[in-house]
Amino acid sequence: MNGKQEKMTGVKGIFRRFAGWCVACPHAMLFFISVWLWAVFSYGDVLRMAREYSFFAFDRMLMSAVWEQPYGSLWIGGRAMLCLFAYPWLGGLAFSILLTLISWMIGALLRLPARWRWIQYLPAAGYLSVVVWMGFDAFVFREPGWLMGIPLCVALILALQLAFVRSFSHRSLCWPWMCQTDESRQVRQFLQVWGLLLPLAVAVYGGIARSDVRLTARLQRLMWEQKWDEMAKEAEAWNGSSRPVAAYHALALVRNGRLLEDLFRVRYDFKPLHLISRKGQPSEGREIYEADCNFHAGLIQSAFRNDMEQMTFDGIGTARLRRMIRYAVLRGEDNLALRYLYVLSRQPFEDKFTNRYQCMVQNPELFMKDVELQSIAAMQPLEDYFESAYMKPLFIGYYLGMRQAGCQTAHDVATAASLYARMLPLFCYRAAAYAREGHFPTVVADALGMIKASDPHAVSSFGGLDLPAARYVEFARTFAGTDTMEVYHRAIENYSSYLGYYPFYYYFGLPDPSLTQTDEKEEKGGVN
């Protein structure tokens, strides 16, 4: 009984100290809450995406490649913390506790007077700013464990120094519950506003300067949750331009059946990404979306090769491992799927996924009832050619060269690919199937209207079906001019007026020629 009472007293004592700290040091509490909100609502999807590029398990053999790296133990600790972002509220809680402790320890070691105590929050806020500024460079082509490993290392160093000062020095430390003794009312109010505004300023900066990173991560999350309509709406609501965003927008439209209605409702004047490849050159970000797009285009073997190549360079990744499990299930390779499932099951918070697909391997009827996997299986190629026979990226190049479609979705993708590549003769060949049905999808009708206005004989075989050629004539008059750059920038300013109109993409969908282009070797022989 006494033991139980002492235990309750201990728990109450912890809560009392915590409540006392909140009352005595409200600026630290506000900083803690604002960092937590930033990590959940502003950058939660990005940190979760970073987790997908990482992998952590308590099995030393699975983590041997990371242990063998310089500072491997540090990266292991960072990956363990990053693993918590399977639930952003949980990862954000751990991250905010860590940064708040770092801030307090800096203030305690420096013995900052009340009017200078705002300085202790600058290192943590600066670190958040660096993470946001780096964008995809923070985890795509580098060790993802550094995101949490660096603050974890800093916290350990400061804790050791704090213990040394507390044990062997006569200097007194400013404990959190003692903060109010030397703070005036004005100073306390300033510190509270400062602790709240610093993470808010980082969130505003991220929303403006790195909106493409946040949106790409959000689209990936919606893809994992199979929320295709919401995924498409999020991409269309954004006013920027990015290759990964356009790729995931098209992927969502393939899955919700609106590819030929809404494909060009996003901008295609792609801006360079904040991403540097392993060769030190600017990357167009194809490594982010290529495997996903190949997989959902039915090119399972090519997607498998994409992930195996990335795994060779970067080691095991959570998202790659999940895709490889699905590849094995689609190809009927049950033993391989079970091996991958075992590896993934070693990582915390993956029970739901592993249980679902383990049941699917053991019971083929569950695989037959899975709508998404069955739709991907229906799109698998009916032709057997080497990848080198097609233009890059393959999920576009294959459908440009496809001769026989296995389903209506595959034919829609082939039609959209010919429009995206501006191959109008090939497009007219694909469009003949819709003419026989007596109705053209929106994008197909707009493209045929543009062709009819330029050459009526080119579409004479489509009979008396309505083609909106008059709108194209008006469009051509609006953007008539001899100065190419002036017309281009005028068109971009009027983008919202021609949202989803194919002729606008046909003439102004190329990247801005004034911007730095990506590596020519990667682009040569491919589709923009």
Side-chain angles (χ1 to χ4, degrees), residues 515-526:
L515 298 173
T516 302
Q517 300 298 311
T518 55
D519 189 3
E520 293 181 0
K521 293 181 180 179
E522 294 181 1
E523 293 293 329
K524 186 176 180 181

Side-chain angles (χ1 to χ4, degrees), residues 230-379:
E230 185 178 349
M231 186 176 170
K233 289 178 181 177
E234 288 280 354
E236 292 167 12
W238 187 51
N239 194 39
S241 61
S242 165
R243 286 182 188 272
V245 171
Y248 282 115
H249 173 251
L251 188 155
L253 296 180
V254 171
R255 298 270 67 89
N256 70 3
R258 295 192 58 82
L259 183 65
L260 295 178
E261 300 292 339
D262 301 329
L263 178 60
F264 298 101
R265 295 182 67 86
V266 297
R267 293 177 61 165
Y268 284 89
D269 55 320
F270 301 127
K271 304 298 188 296
L273 290 180
H274 194 75
L275 182 61
I276 303 299
S277 69
R278 296 181 186 86
K279 299 178 181 179
Q281 299 294 325
S283 172
E284 64 178 10
R286 189 173 289 174
E287 296 81 4
I288 295 174
Y289 58 82
E290 187 171 22
D292 283 323
C293 289
N294 279 342
F295 175 60
H296 285 272
L299 307 175
I300 299 170
Q301 184 62 34
S302 299
F304 183 81
R305 179 188 55 78
N306 293 147
D307 279 322
M308 286 299 293
E309 287 179 354
Q310 295 298 316
M311 195 170 290
T312 300
F313 288 111
D314 303 324
I316 302 174
T318 304
R320 299 186 194 107
L321 200 52
R322 285 207 206 100
R323 278 193 300 264
M324 292 169 75
I325 291 168
R326 300 170 84 189
Y327 303 153
V329 171
L330 278 166
R331 296 166 60 180
E333 299 179 359
D334 295 344
N335 290 333
L336 184 61
L338 289 173
R339 291 176 185 175
Y340 290 149
L341 281 166
Y342 172 78
V343 175
L344 186 61
S345 68
R346 300 299 93 191
Q347 173 159 285
F349 309 115
E350 292 297 330
D351 292 343
K352 183 178 179 181
F353 183 92
T354 54
N355 290 339
R356 176 189 175 189
Y357 280 91
Q358 190 167 7
C359 292
M360 195 175 294
V361 170
Q362 295 170 351
N363 186 359
E365 292 183 3
L366 296 177
F367 167 68
M368 299 302 295
K369 294 178 181 179
D370 191 292
V371 176
E372 183 190 21
L373 292 184
Q374 287 301 311
S375 62
I376 293 172
M379 293 181 66

